[in-house]
Amino acid sequence: MVNMPSQDSCAGPVPLHLEGVSLRRGQRAILENVNLSLYRGLVALVGPNGSGKSTLLRSIATLLPVASGKISINGLDISTRRGADSARMHLSYLPQEPTALRHFAVEEACRYAGWLKGKSRRELDHHVKQVLSLLDLRATATKKIGTLSGGTQRRAYVAQALVSQPTVLLLDEPTAGLDPEHSQALREGLRTLCTDRLTVFSTHLLEDVAMADHVICLRDNGVRFFGTPHELERVGRETFAGTSGLHLAANFLGAL
């Protein structure tokens, strides 16, 4: 049974709304009839390989069409060209293995990413400085992204995604492949920078799930759990008779 918690709504349109969304890959159903309204905070998207995490993120990012249903970003229906074009100004998407702008310096890439979203020079001066500082990238600001270590590259790409101050931020396994120190630094940066926006990120890591405000578990072509990490842990305690529950509950749901 899916637990559908209420989130504190904010003034204005819902940042992300999915109504009866179904996704397919060829003839195979990936997700069926997904209904969600998400407002702000960090939302972990978990599920076994092939459950549709990356496909769902790419569909929200306007890169893949839905088979049926509707996705809205800030009230904009992305199934229309005008709606999708307008919605892209409110969202940022980081794939699992980004390769763009590798020949740009870190700060240069951030400024370019913000310029593409219509940010002014004054806005960029402030936001670039902010993201470079909070993601510990000041020392590498003038270095080309392609010359950096994997963990620093990942943080540089997250900085690009954040610099435009999107209403909706989509991250596909942002901590994948990072060592524990860089993973923790990135989590702390996301907690600091993403409190006033909606950030949906896919993950297989329990540490990522624990930092989230809400968790969505995908399995068997649908949403099998939607709630807080505390509520997920309670599922584990109830299912496994008092055993420490978050990891066991996630495994029980087929999420990790």
Side-chain angles (χ1 to χ4, degrees), residues 188-254:
E188 291 173 357
L190 290 174
R191 287 299 315 174
T192 301
L193 288 165
C194 297
T195 55
D196 60 348
R197 76 188 77 253
L198 172 63
T199 300
V200 183
F201 64 94
S202 64
T203 186
H204 286 285
L205 299 178
L206 182 64
E207 295 85 355
D208 292 348
V209 174
M211 79 163 178
D213 299 299
H214 290 86
V215 184
I216 298 171
C217 295
L218 302 181
R219 194 189 70 186
D220 300 331
N221 300 339
V223 176
R224 293 295 169 256
F225 175 88
F226 178 24
T228 66
H230 178 73
E231 289 168 331
L232 182 58
E233 186 171 7
R234 186 173 62 200
V235 170
R237 288 197 304 268
E238 293 172 351
T239 304
F240 297 100
T243 305
S244 179
L246 184 54
H247 190 273
L248 290 172
N251 277 293
F252 174 73
L253 291 163

Side-chain angles (χ1 to χ4, degrees), residues 93-169:
Y93 166 65
L94 183 65
Q96 186 174 348
E97 297 182 359
T99 58
L101 307 183
R102 289 177 56 83
H103 300 295
F104 281 54
V106 173
E107 182 174 351
E108 182 184 23
C110 288
R111 288 186 174 276
Y112 181 68
W115 175 78
L116 288 175
K117 295 297 178 72
K119 298 301 178 181
S120 68
R121 182 186 295 270
R122 183 177 180 180
E123 289 175 309
L124 287 174
D125 286 343
H126 172 71
H127 295 316
V128 169
K129 182 179 180 181
Q130 181 187 42
V131 297
L132 292 182
S133 176
L134 287 173
L135 291 172
D136 194 22
L137 290 166
R138 288 174 296 181
T140 56
T142 60
K143 295 181 179 180
K144 291 185 178 181
I145 293 174
T147 67
L148 303 174
S149 68
T152 306
Q153 282 190 36
R154 175 65 63 169
R155 285 182 285 126
Y157 281 118
V158 171
Q160 290 176 48
L162 277 167
V163 75
S164 65
Q165 302 291 292
T167 303
V168 177
L169 176 63

